[in-house]
Amino acid sequence: MAGLESEDIQKRTAGGSASDTGVDPKTPVLRINQLDALELDSALEQLVWTQFSQCFYNCRPGLLTPLEPELRALLQLLLWRFTLYSSSTTVGQSLLSLRYHNTYSSSPLYRPLSHRQKLGLALLTAGPRWLQERSHSLLLCLGMGSGGPVSEGFSGLLQHGLRRCLTFISSIIQLANIVNFLVFLRKGRHPVLAERIVGARTVFSKPNMVRDITYQYMNREMLWHGFAEFLIFLLPLINTKKLKETLYSTLFGGKAEGEGVKEGQDVWKECGLCGEWPTMPHIVGCQHVFCYYCIKSHTIADAYLTCPKCGVEAGWPEPAKLEVEMGGR
């Protein structure tokens, strides 16, 4: 029995090595496949964070905010432990039949990443993000000591120097990422700078692989993603309030029934925007009165604001003056 088990183990080992050697690491991988793998990994991290934050939905608002950078880094390391560390491939790469190859190996065959490379890839991915989010808090911690004006001045100079140093390092890293991405577009290898540093290159995990995600699905996702970005860019530029008023006046002929212009002193009893008693009443060229903060905020948001009551183009807000006549008995 022991001999049969050992033979089975040898066959499995031989089969596994054959599957590894069946893939040529020199076979180029499409750039879009590598970028898609990164997008899938980013979507998975965001999904895990969303599910994690939902666990604290009924707790005090802002409970996770002080520790959000650490929690995000911890969740990212957990994903790394059960994906990249175990199989030399991320979730996005496994969906696209890809994995990492050790470029520092002299063998022409496939070689998985070493433990140091996997650890370095995790630190270079999660570390800079955490440091960027925590840099302000770390700099503030340097000024917590109270040792007189001399120490406070020295602490201020130290904070200023470290801030400039971190800004310079961040600029250098951003420039290196841009250069690395341009090189990736040229040669098709290492879309992320961390992969180039640790020597990890994306290769196919099996020969004649079939994509687990079809092009039809990817095209639909790309179109929807582009449409969503277009809406996010366009919607803030649309003045929905003015559009609503225009449609209302077009469909119902200007003012609604029962909302005619009030005569006499009734117009002074409510703001034309919020409907409450006017606070610091102002006028904009018509007989209607508005709160100062209401009309000021609306004129800042809309340069072509019109009066919601009568449709007159609003001018510059001016303090309202009420003439009171005293009658004798």
Side-chain angles (χ1 to χ4, degrees):
M1 294 295 293
L4 293 175
E5 292 179 356
S6 62
E7 289 180 2
D8 292 340
I9 294 175
Q10 290 178 359
K11 289 180 180 180
R12 293 174 185 174
T13 306
S17 61
S19 64
D20 289 344
T21 57
V23 180
D24 186 8
K26 296 182 181 179
T27 304
V29 180
L30 294 178
R31 296 169 178 83
I32 187 62
N33 288 13
Q34 302 180 54
L35 296 178
D36 287 342
L38 294 176
E39 288 294 332
L40 289 172
D41 292 334
S42 178
L44 176 63
E45 293 176 7
Q46 184 62 35
L47 178 62
V48 172
W49 171 254
T50 302
Q51 296 294 329
F52 177 78
S53 59
Q54 286 294 327
C55 298
F56 301 88
Y57 179 78
N58 296 323
C59 297
R60 176 175 55 85
L63 179 64
L64 300 180
T65 302
L67 298 176
E68 182 174 346
E70 287 76 15
L71 293 175
R72 284 184 176 272
L74 179 60
L75 292 177
Q76 189 173 1
L77 290 177
L78 287 176
L79 290 176
W80 164 83
R81 172 61 183 84
F82 294 106
T83 56
L84 181 59
Y85 185 81
S86 302
S87 57
S88 292
T89 179
T90 64
V91 175
Q93 289 178 339
S94 62
L95 291 175
L96 299 175
S97 299
L98 303 175
R99 60 183 173 182
Y100 280 126
H101 168 64
N102 185 0
T103 58
Y104 292 154
S105 175
S106 58
S107 175
L109 304 179
Y110 169 78
R111 289 293 180 268
L113 298 181
S114 63
H115 294 301
R116 291 185 178 180
Q117 287 176 310
K118 295 176 182 178
L119 181 60
L121 192 60
L123 294 179
L124 291 176
T125 303
R129 184 186 305 176
W130 173 84
L131 184 60
Q132 182 179 7
E133 295 176 353
R134 274 299 180 200
S135 59
H136 182 70
S137 301
L138 294 176
L139 290 175
L140 290 179
C141 291
L142 297 176
M144 294 179 62
S146 58
V150 177
S151 63
E152 291 180 359
F154 176 76
S155 177
L157 292 176
L158 182 61
Q159 288 186 19
H160 181 67
L162 288 177
R163 185 177 292 107
R164 293 184 59 182
C165 183
L166 288 176
T167 303
F168 177 75
I169 294 175
S170 178
S171 303
I172 294 297
I173 293 175
Q174 293 295 334
L175 179 61
N177 287 328
I178 295 176
V179 173
N180 177 78
F181 189 75
L182 294 177
V183 175
F184 162 72
L185 295 179
R186 174 66 178 173
K187 297 185 176 181
R189 296 182 178 181
H190 308 295
V192 181
L193 183 62
E195 297 179 4
R196 188 178 299 275
I197 294 176
V198 302
R201 183 165 61 88
T202 303
V203 297
F204 291 114
S205 60
K206 51 187 176 182
N208 301 324
M209 66 92 185
V210 179
R211 294 172 62 95
D212 294 331
I213 298 180
T214 61
Y215 283 105
Q216 183 179 3
Y217 170 79
M218 293 183 58
N219 291 336
R220 184 169 66 250
E221 288 296 317
M222 292 176 65
L223 287 175
W224 172 249
H225 184 69
F227 181 68
E229 287 188 346
F230 175 73
L231 290 180
I232 292 174
F233 172 77
L234 181 63
L235 288 179
L237 303 179
I238 300 177
N239 190 343
T240 55
K241 188 175 185 302
K242 187 173 183 179
L243 180 62
K244 179 180 175 182
E245 294 174 355
T246 303
L247 291 176
Y248 188 85
S249 61
T250 303
L251 295 176
F252 299 98
K255 294 167 286 193
E257 191 70 21
E259 291 187 1
V261 178
K262 298 181 179 180
E263 301 292 338
Q265 297 182 356
D266 291 341
V267 296
W268 295 81
K269 295 182 179 180
E270 67 175 20
C271 171
L273 291 170
C274 66
E276 302 294 334
W277 188 274
T279 303
M280 300 175 62
H282 278 63
I283 57 176
V284 291
C286 61
Q287 62 179 348
H288 298 99
V289 180
F290 307 90
C291 300
Y292 170 75
Y293 295 104
C294 293
I295 191 62
K296 191 65 176 179
S297 60
H298 281 72
T299 52
I300 292 175
D302 184 9
Y304 304 97
L305 179 68
T306 57
C307 176
K309 296 292 185 180
C310 60
V312 176
E313 184 176 354
W316 188 258
E318 297 180 356
K321 297 179 180 179
L322 178 64
E323 296 181 357
V324 180
E325 298 181 359
M326 303 295 293
R329 294 184 179 178

